């Protein structure tokens, strides 16, 4: 188990068990779907920017930046997958390629380090805080968002070699995650005051989406060990490899694209209530 050092478990599965045609192609396709959806989202946010009042448009601008970042880094992640595994005709499976061009989930973490603070900032430009200070919430979002991603990034390098280290970094990351959930609930609760009913309902939907989508990330982080530790237990198999990439992709699409669309709906409702007319 030390042959690949701190490589993530996808590489160990590819080295020792290999991946079936179905498993390999499912991951390749879901990664492609991920960056394709981000590109589609990019066009959506550009084309709908003028449907909201100017004071709310910074949220759409941030969505555009998130889409560009996600598209580029998820495309790199997809290319990394296809360059890491080679088909073995004799065994009929995909194995880690000669020379070990390792697959690395780090591309996702780099993307999250850019996107997570902006995703959290976005809602602050759509709602009006009635009790909290904008600058205080913004700074807390930035600090906890960045700290959550950095500690998770460090932890994922130990998911095979040291479960204890992996769990400790994951636990530290979870502390910041809980703080973000607290802040988001606070912002949404304050933001519902004095706005149209439709916008209030959409904000409540955003909270539900936020909970579900963001809870998928720790699930994907723990995917190799959900039912046990190491290759003798859990999802340390091609099922875990496929499951993790599908989970990450669903979470990314939900927390970036759908979230951004719902924020646009809130901004549009508030704009109409304030008498804004698209020119």
């Amino acid at each position: 188990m030390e042959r690949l050092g701190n490589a993530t478990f996808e590489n160990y599965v590819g080295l020792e068990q290999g991946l079936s045609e179905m498993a390999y192609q499912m991951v390749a396709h879901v990664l492609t779907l991920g960056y394709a959806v981000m590109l589609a989202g990019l066009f959506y946010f550009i084309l709908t920017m003028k449907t909201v009042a100017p004071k709310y448009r910074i949220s759409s601008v941030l969505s555009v930046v998130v889409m560009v970042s996600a598209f580029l880094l998820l495309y790199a992640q997809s290319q990394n997958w296809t360059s890491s595994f080679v088909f073995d005709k004799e065994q009929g499976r995909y194995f880690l390629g000669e020379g070990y061009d390792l697959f690395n989930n780090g591309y996702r973490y780099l993307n999250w380090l850019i996107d997570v603070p902006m995703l959290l900032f976005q809602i602050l430009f759509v709602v009006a805080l009635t009790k909290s200070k904008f600058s205080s919430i913004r700074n807390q979002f930035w600090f906890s968002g960045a700290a959550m991603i950095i500690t998770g990034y460090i932890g994922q390098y130990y998911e095979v070699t040291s479960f204890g280290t992996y769990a400790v970094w994951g636990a530290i990351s979870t502390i910041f995650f809980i703080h973000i959930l607290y802040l988001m609930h606070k912002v949404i609760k304050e933001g519902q005051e004095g706005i149209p009913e439709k916008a209030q309902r959409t904000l409540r939907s955003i909270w539900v989406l936020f909970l579900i989508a963001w809870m998928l990330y720790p699930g994907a982080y723990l995917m190799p060990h959900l039912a046990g530790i190491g290759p003798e237990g859990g999802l340390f198999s091609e099922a875990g490899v496929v499951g993790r990439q599908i989970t990450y992709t669903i979470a990314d699409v939900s927390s970036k694209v759908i979230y951004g669309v719902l924020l646009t709906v809130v901004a549009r409702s508030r704009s109409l209530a304030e008498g804004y007319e698209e020119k």
Side-chain angles (χ1 to χ4, degrees):
M1 295 302 294
E2 298 180 357
R3 188 173 177 184
L4 299 180
N6 286 350
T8 54
F9 93 110
E10 289 90 348
N11 297 288
Y12 282 93
V13 173
L15 178 66
E16 299 171 2
Q17 305 171 27
L19 300 165
S20 67
E21 177 71 15
M22 180 186 292
Y24 174 82
Q25 294 296 348
M26 285 181 70
V27 172
H29 293 158
V30 78
L31 290 173
T32 301
L33 176 66
Y35 71 74
V37 172
M38 298 305 163
L39 184 60
L42 172 63
F43 285 105
Y44 171 85
F45 293 118
I46 291 174
L47 294 173
T48 59
M49 194 173 296
K50 290 188 177 180
T51 64
V52 303
K55 67 180 180 180
Y56 300 123
R57 287 178 192 167
I58 188 65
S59 177
S60 295
V61 171
L62 290 173
S63 277
V64 168
V65 175
V66 167
M67 293 301 103
V68 172
S69 166
F71 170 77
L72 293 175
L73 285 165
L74 291 178
Y75 177 78
Q77 180 86 86
S78 177
Q79 295 300 108
N80 180 215
W81 174 261
T82 56
S83 67
S84 297
F85 300 93
V86 176
F87 185 69
D88 186 312
K89 293 182 180 180
E90 293 183 1
Q91 300 186 61
R93 298 178 70 83
Y94 286 84
F95 289 88
L96 194 64
E98 185 177 351
Y100 303 143
D101 184 9
L102 300 180
F103 178 72
N104 192 333
N105 285 304
Y107 290 104
R108 288 194 185 272
Y109 284 87
L110 291 177
N111 175 229
W112 298 331
L113 188 59
I114 296 170
D115 290 354
V116 165
M118 286 188 286
L119 289 169
L120 296 172
F121 293 165
Q122 274 185 269
I123 196 169
L124 299 178
F125 293 99
V126 172
V127 303
L129 299 176
T130 56
K131 299 176 183 178
S132 305
K133 289 185 178 180
F134 178 95
S135 59
S136 175
I137 298 294
R138 179 198 60 201
N139 293 341
Q140 290 182 73
F141 268 152
W142 179 85
F143 177 79
S144 288
M148 177 183 69
I149 300 306
I150 291 171
T151 51
Y153 175 77
I154 295 171
Q156 53 109 23
Y157 281 106
Y158 296 94
E159 64 187 23
V160 176
T161 56
S162 176
F163 181 77
T165 305
Y166 161 77
V168 167
W169 282 109
I172 295 172
S173 181
T174 301
I175 293 172
F176 296 111
F177 173 62
I178 293 172
H179 184 230
I180 289 171
L181 290 179
Y182 164 76
L183 291 174
M184 182 59 73
H185 183 264
K186 185 177 183 180
V187 167
I188 289 176
K189 186 176 181 181
E190 290 185 26
Q192 292 182 67
E193 298 180 17
I195 64 174
E197 178 60 31
K198 180 180 179 181
Q200 292 183 38
R201 290 197 304 269
T202 306
L203 277 178
R204 289 193 288 269
S205 297
I206 288 174
W207 172 240
V208 174
L209 174 73
F210 193 87
L211 278 177
I212 295 173
W214 282 54
M215 284 295 183
L216 292 176
Y217 289 109
Y221 179 87
L222 294 169
M223 191 69 72
H225 306 289
L226 283 178
I229 299 176
E232 290 77 27
L235 294 176
F236 204 102
S237 64
E238 69 173 30
V241 172
V242 175
R244 174 141 81 173
Q245 297 308 318
I246 289 176
T247 302
Y248 273 147
T249 300
I250 292 174
D252 276 347
V253 170
S254 301
S255 64
K256 296 175 184 179
V257 182
I258 299 176
Y259 169 75
V261 170
L262 291 178
L263 285 179
T264 301
V265 172
V266 174
R268 177 65 173 162
S269 296
R270 297 197 66 186
S271 298
L272 292 174
E274 293 166 7
Y276 172 76
E277 295 183 5
E278 182 181 355
K279 296 181 181 179

